[in-house]
């Protein structure tokens, strides 16, 4: 243990903290998907990690499509046009996957009033199926004789390897906080994540449809008696979670630059942890949980070494839940008065 | 007939909750379903609202078969329910709850909406005092008022009231029943489920008595209130 590595030098401390906030913002965006679905259905959508993972591929594919496969190193400014297209593609891709999961893994079970545990198993199944489908995409392409045409996308015989965005985005320092140089990529990640979350918060609290979502979350039967179409509410909940995951995937690819068929797993577990830490079902809790988790695991890796990063994150989760079992901001979409 | 229930059967698993129930509700009237706990009164209302699946029989509203319509579609057609156990949204304020009642209305920014809100506040001044308070923090009686007010905000053609007097102080019970009559006189058809048979029969044009899932007596409110066997079973002998 080396507390000096974190606290001995203020600039190091800022470095780890700001770095943690950046990755934490991505956790928070993905956490929103878990928390919204839980708020409405009291159900953990374990397939949400794959919703995110498909978004990361959409980003990389957009760059391959518009730039080609040649490795390049661009500034953020130069990458912006393609990044915007990639953002739209990732949001559409993730939203489509989320809606598919809702339609085929959940709705048949909900309509039959199946126990929540059955839906949970169905979600885990959907998660594996989606991840494996991505890992076997070269075989699927081969069935249709498209593996040559689509070689750059399906990576024949290497579909399970790391798949990188050909364009790596070089961050540039913009200004300093203490000794830490905040880069343009950091700033875009944090600001974009905050804007998305702010917009979602407004949508849920201020719009008529948002009020319908809160009503279903608080009392589904009474909501039906008010004329709320619960099927539509559930769909929109999945859709919004998917859009947020697609945005998170774009930010993740800006920062990390590569993905693979199991990239959703660890990030999904972290985002789920963030949601639980903040109080699952609570939108602002997801933000707080995400940022806190990002910062804590960075501090943990400074003090204990980076191999302990995940251990620190999950020990923190256990400790928080021991003291506050319903999470930092408490459970439920709108149960705490919004 | 505004509402016609014909040969309705509803099960909970293997248990028959209601068996071959038929009755109608004429437009502009107050109709009551009277019966002991577990007689199937609430199940009947829930089924009319679409919250319970029909095993057999049909429900017709305004000439249209709604037996298998989804709950929100029935609200859109003009059926609104104040559920048993109130069903207020605990995390929303009084004002937000009332606004949820008007969820299907398109005129939520209009003067008509505002005047409906004022009417609810006239009927229940207590709600006005608490309009910014979370429903979950209010007393049972206040939540009951809120649930009725919320159902009114939908401007329904048919208002289903499930045990509106339950758990209320005697003075409030009087007030609630006066309000039911008022609402009816303003043109809303009411289907009322009550254990407080004396009050319900007094206010009803027609009434049906349910026992273990079946209708055993029907008549006008006045007839049933004067009937000796009804008096003995449901009115404690005095009316």
């Amino acid at each position: 243990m080396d507390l000096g590595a974190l606290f001995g030098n203020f600039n190091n401390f800022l470095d780890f903290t700001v770095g943690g906030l950046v990755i934490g913002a991505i956790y928070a965006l993905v956490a929103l998907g878990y928390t919204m679905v839980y708020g409405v259905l009291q159900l953990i959508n374990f397939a949400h990690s794959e919703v995110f993972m498909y978004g990361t591929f959409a980003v990389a594919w957009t760059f391959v499509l518009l730039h080609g496969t040649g490795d390049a190193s661009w500034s953020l400014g130069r990458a912006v046009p393609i990044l915007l297209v990639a953002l739209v593609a990732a949001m559409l891709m993730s939203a489509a996957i989320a809606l598919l999961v809702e339609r085929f893994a959940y709705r048949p079970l909900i309509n039959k009033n199946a126990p929540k545990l059955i839906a949970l198993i169905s979600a885990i199944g959907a998660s594996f199926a989606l991840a494996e489908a991505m890992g076997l995409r070269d075989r699927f392409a081969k069935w249709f004789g498209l593996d040559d045409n689509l070689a750059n996308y399906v990576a024949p015989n290497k579909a399970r390897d790391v798949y990188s965005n050909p364009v790596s985005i070089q961050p540039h320092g913009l200004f300093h906080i203490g000794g830490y140089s905040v880069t343009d990529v950091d700033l875009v990640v944090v600001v974009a994540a905050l804007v998305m979350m702010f917009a979602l918060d407004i949508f849920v609290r201020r719009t008529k449809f948002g009020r319908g979502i809160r009503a279903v979350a608080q009392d589904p039967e009474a909501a039906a008696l008010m004329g709320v179409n619960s099927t539509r509410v559930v769909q929109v909940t999945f859709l919004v979670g998917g859009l947020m995951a697609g945005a998170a995937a774009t930010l993740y690819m800006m920062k990390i630059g590569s993905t693979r068929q199991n990239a959703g797993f660890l990030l999904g577990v972290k985002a789920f942890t963030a949601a639980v830490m903040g109080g699952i079902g609570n939108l602002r809790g997801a933000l707080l949980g995400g940022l806190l988790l990002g910062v804590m695991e960075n501090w943990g890796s400074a003090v204990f070494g980076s191999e302990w990063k995940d251990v620190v994150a999950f020990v923190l989760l256990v400790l928080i839940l021991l003291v506050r079992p319903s999470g930092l901001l408490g459970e439920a979409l709108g149960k705490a008065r919004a | 007939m505004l509402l016609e229930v014909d040969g309705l059967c509803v099960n909970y698993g293997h248990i028959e909750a209601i068996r071959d129930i038929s009755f109608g509700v004429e437009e502009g009237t107050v109709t009551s379903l009277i019966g002991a706990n577990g007689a199937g009164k609430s199940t009947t209302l829930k089924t009319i609202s679409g919250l319970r699946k029909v095993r057999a029989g049909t429900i017709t509203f305004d000439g249209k078969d709604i037996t298998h319509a989804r709950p929100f579609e029935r609200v859109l057609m003009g059926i609104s329910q104040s559920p048993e156990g109130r069903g207020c949204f605990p995390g929303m304020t009084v004002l937000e709850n009332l606004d949820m009642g008007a969820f299907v209305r398109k005129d939520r920014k209009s003067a008509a909406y505002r005047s409906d809100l004022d009417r609810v506040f006239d009927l229940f001044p207590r709600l006005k005092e608490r309009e910014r308070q979370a429903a979950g923090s209010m007393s049972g009686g206040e939540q009951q008022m809120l649930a009725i007010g919320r159902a009114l905000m939908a401007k329904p053609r048919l208002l289903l009231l499930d045990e509106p007097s339950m758990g209320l102080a005697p003075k409030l019970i009087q007030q609630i029943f006066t309000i039911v009559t008022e609402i009816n006189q303003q043109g809303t058809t009411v289907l009322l489920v009550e254990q407080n048979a004396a009050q319900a029969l007094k206010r009803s044009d027609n009434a049906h008595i349910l026992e273990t899932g079946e209708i055993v007596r029907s008549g006008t409110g006045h007839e049933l209130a004067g009937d000796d066997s009804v008096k003995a079973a449901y009115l404690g002998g005095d009316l």
Side-chain angles (χ1 to χ4, degrees):
Chain A
M1 191 166 98
D2 181 11
L3 281 173
L6 181 60
F7 297 109
N9 177 325
F10 189 59
N11 287 342
N12 281 354
F13 176 76
L14 280 174
D15 194 349
F16 284 114
T17 305
V18 177
L21 287 174
V22 174
I23 193 76
I26 295 174
Y27 292 156
L29 271 183
V30 180
L32 287 173
Y34 287 100
T35 236
M36 288 213 34
V37 169
Y38 182 86
V40 169
L41 291 175
Q42 280 76 53
L43 197 136
I44 308 293
N45 175 16
F46 274 111
H48 192 60
S49 47
E50 270 47 64
V51 169
F52 165 82
M53 179 270 288
Y54 274 72
T56 61
F57 274 91
V59 174
W61 287 339
T62 304
F63 273 90
V64 171
L65 182 71
L66 297 179
H67 162 74
T69 49
D71 284 339
S73 181
W74 289 0
S75 70
L76 180 61
R78 189 168 169 206
V80 160
I82 299 187
L83 267 177
L84 288 177
V85 180
L87 174 69
V88 173
M91 287 173 88
L92 290 178
M93 169 74 95
S94 292
I97 298 291
L99 289 177
L100 279 177
V101 168
E102 188 273 333
R103 181 66 190 80
F104 293 106
Y106 288 114
R107 204 187 304 169
L109 299 173
I110 293 168
N111 287 346
K112 287 189 182 128
N113 282 324
K116 296 270 147 84
L117 196 60
I118 304 295
L120 193 75
I121 302 294
S122 170
I124 293 172
S127 171
F128 278 115
L130 285 166
E132 287 308 310
M134 183 57 86
L136 295 169
R137 64 189 185 283
D138 54 341
R139 316 272 178 93
F140 292 129
K142 202 167 185 173
W143 288 353
F144 295 102
L146 290 170
D147 50 335
D148 286 339
N149 302 6
L150 296 176
N152 292 336
Y153 303 94
V154 300
N157 303 318
K158 290 183 188 156
R160 305 184 81 82
D161 294 354
V162 169
Y163 187 80
S164 294
N165 185 348
V167 176
S168 66
I169 294 163
Q170 294 306 316
H172 285 277
L174 289 179
F175 56 87
H176 287 77
I177 297 179
Y180 179 77
S181 166
V182 178
T183 69
D184 46 6
V185 170
D186 292 341
L187 200 67
V188 166
V189 170
V190 173
V191 170
L194 288 177
V195 166
M196 303 272 318
M197 275 180 268
F198 186 69
L200 179 62
D201 202 54
I202 298 279
F203 170 68
V204 171
R205 288 191 313 130
R206 298 263 178 261
T207 66
K208 183 185 165 197
F209 200 92
R211 191 163 290 168
I213 293 179
R214 287 171 55 208
V216 174
Q218 292 179 28
D219 189 336
E221 213 160 73
L225 291 179
M226 301 300 114
V228 180
N229 180 347
S230 57
T231 307
R232 184 59 44 80
V233 162
V234 170
Q235 265 178 339
V236 170
T237 304
F238 274 82
L239 176 76
V240 168
L243 292 173
M244 296 288 155
T250 311
L251 301 175
Y252 175 89
M253 289 301 279
M254 272 171 67
K255 184 95 184 132
I256 311 292
S258 65
T259 184
R260 61 189 297 179
Q261 100 275 2
N262 61 3
F265 178 73
L266 190 60
L267 197 122
V269 172
K270 294 278 182 69
F272 173 59
T273 304
V276 173
M277 250 160 70
I280 190 148
N282 184 317
L283 296 181
R284 292 167 186 186
L287 173 63
L288 180 67
L291 295 178
L292 196 66
L293 184 69
V295 169
M296 286 301 160
E297 65 175 25
N298 254 15
W299 285 1
S301 63
V303 173
F304 299 99
S306 60
E307 67 274 26
W308 289 88
K309 182 170 142 177
D310 297 339
V311 178
V312 171
F314 293 113
V315 167
L316 183 74
L317 171 72
V318 172
L319 290 179
I320 287 178
L321 290 185
L322 280 175
V323 182
R324 282 188 70 92
S326 59
L328 291 169
L329 297 187
E331 221 176 279
L333 199 63
K335 250 179 216 161
R337 244 223 78 208
Chain B
M1 286 288 171
L2 184 61
L3 178 79
E4 270 190 278
V5 172
D6 188 27
L8 195 68
C9 301
V10 176
N11 277 31
Y12 288 116
H14 298 297
I15 302 160
E16 287 185 307
I18 52 181
R19 197 162 42 236
D20 195 20
I21 282 187
S22 301
F23 67 94
V25 178
E26 241 169 290
E27 185 136 33
T29 61
V30 176
T31 301
S32 289
L33 302 178
I34 310 288
N37 249 339
K41 309 182 302 287
S42 291
T43 304
T44 306
L45 282 202
K46 284 193 170 127
T47 311
I48 294 170
S49 276
L51 297 178
R52 296 289 174 270
K53 283 212 167 75
V54 174
R55 185 171 65 79
T58 57
I59 305 171
T60 314
F61 181 72
D62 198 18
K64 289 180 208 73
D65 183 353
I66 59 163
T67 313
H68 301 291
R70 307 213 24 222
F72 76 92
E73 292 167 338
R74 303 181 199 217
V75 181
L76 282 166
M77 294 173 78
I79 302 177
S80 180
Q81 186 182 155
S82 163
E84 185 191 19
R86 301 168 186 121
C88 295
F89 300 106
M92 294 189 194
T93 63
V94 167
L95 217 49
E96 285 175 318
N97 265 283
L98 292 173
D99 195 41
M100 272 313 297
F103 193 78
V104 295
R105 283 175 62 171
K106 305 252 181 283
D107 62 344
R108 286 158 70 257
K109 302 255 183 280
S110 72
Y113 174 84
R114 189 64 233 178
S115 81
D116 288 342
L117 198 59
D118 287 340
R119 180 177 75 147
V120 170
F121 286 146
D122 281 345
L123 292 173
F124 304 108
R126 183 72 67 87
L127 294 183
K128 175 80 185 157
E129 291 162 27
R130 316 235 151 166
E131 62 178 10
R132 308 246 165 242
Q133 193 174 326
S137 68
M138 301 201 309
S139 75
E142 289 164 344
Q143 289 193 32
Q144 186 69 282
M145 296 177 202
L146 179 55
I148 296 171
R150 189 181 59 177
L152 288 177
M153 289 305 292
K155 268 210 158 166
R157 291 181 65 194
L158 174 64
L159 177 62
L160 310 176
L161 292 174
D162 197 349
E163 305 273 8
S165 76
M166 192 170 64
L168 295 187
K171 204 178 132 200
L172 267 175
I173 293 180
Q174 267 310 326
Q175 201 190 334
I176 295 268
F177 280 105
T178 309
I179 287 166
V180 169
T181 306
E182 249 174 71
I183 294 164
N184 177 243
Q185 280 161 0
Q186 289 169 10
T188 308
T189 309
V190 178
L191 177 58
L192 178 66
V193 153
E194 259 300 330
Q195 287 197 52
N196 189 332
Q199 281 289 344
L201 290 177
K202 203 158 77 181
R203 308 275 175 179
S204 300
D205 298 296
N206 298 298
H208 307 276
I209 296 179
L210 267 82
E211 274 174 22
T212 58
E214 286 175 295
I215 292 184
V216 293
R217 287 290 303 275
S218 298
T220 66
H222 187 73
E223 275 167 20
L224 291 181
D227 185 286
D228 287 338
S229 65
V230 174
K231 273 188 194 170
Y234 296 101
L235 305 173
D238 66 323
L239 186 75

